[in-house]
Amino acid sequence: MYEAVVDQSKMPYLRMGKGEPLVLLHGLSSCKESWFKQFELASEYDLIIPDFRGHGDNQTLEGITIENFAKDVICLLKQLQIENAHICGLSMGGIVAQEIYRQAPEMCKSLILTCTTYSAFKPYSSPLFKYVKTRSQYLPTSLRKKITARSCFYSWNKENMDAIDYFYRPREGVPFAMDSIKNIEYRSLLPTINVPTLIIGAQYDTLLPVWIQICMHELIPNSELVILRNTGHAAKIESAKEYNESIKAFLSKHPLTNKAG
């Protein structure tokens, strides 16, 4: 594990592999290790996988917002002398990827937006956010893990249920991150995205249903859409083979013109 100092605080991150830079951004209540089934991509790409504030090994609890998550990643890439990179995010990580594009489009060679959303959809999200926030504050971790596993996976087999220990690691920053997510709205941003964009949805995603990703595909010019079958919200784990193949196929069509300095 490495650490970078961004905005006067330490940002832990993993870095492995060689090739074009590929940034992997985790979701709410998750961490950098949740990408363990994508570590194999290091055979072809320079993987950069950070922990957001208040998540994983990141101890910073001040300034937890989507805007600052994106700012931290941008600062990290600049410190690593990376001019632009492929930006991939799942769920909240996909929201952060959109915010990175809003703040610094020149640093995004491409976007891969997985099981994510472009809007908080107030009538839809308000009860959900209230439920998840209350759950994160009052239920014991063991019960929260079980609920999360059953919410995020289509198949409740032993392999998936065991993987929840990688995917779900709640920390103190989760309620603050949720408060920020409640206010996101990128509806007007999506039509302006002019970098190659891959949108990946999951057929049985009950948290961010696939119709949201279909709408994103319609809003982003020339974007590509992949729907992974028989999988839930944690598609990068449950359908890792298909997920990784989709990423590699997409990136092979859009190589970087500028690489690390």
Side-chain angles (χ1 to χ4, degrees), residues 197-259:
T197 302
L198 173 64
I199 300 163
I200 301 177
Q203 183 180 13
Y204 295 113
D205 189 341
T206 58
L207 298 181
L208 293 172
V210 72
W211 64 262
I212 298 176
Q213 291 89 59
I214 293 173
C215 289
M216 295 179 76
H217 172 53
E218 293 177 349
L219 287 167
I220 300 175
N222 303 312
S223 59
E224 300 179 33
L225 176 66
V226 171
I227 306 298
L228 298 177
R229 305 295 177 182
N230 299 320
T231 191
H233 187 65
K236 66 181 183 182
I237 294 175
E238 189 166 21
S239 295
K241 182 175 183 290
E242 294 82 0
Y243 184 73
N244 294 348
E245 288 176 350
S246 296
I247 289 177
K248 288 191 287 186
F250 171 72
L251 294 183
S252 68
K253 296 183 288 186
H254 305 290
L256 285 170
T257 53
N258 297 315
K259 298 189 179 181

Side-chain angles (χ1 to χ4, degrees), residues 6 31 35 118 131 227 252:
V6 297
C31 59
W35 292 97
Y118 59 95
Y131 164 70
I227 306 298
S252 68

Side-chain angles (χ1 to χ4, degrees), residues 126 148 169:
S126 294
T148 299
R169 292 185 182 176

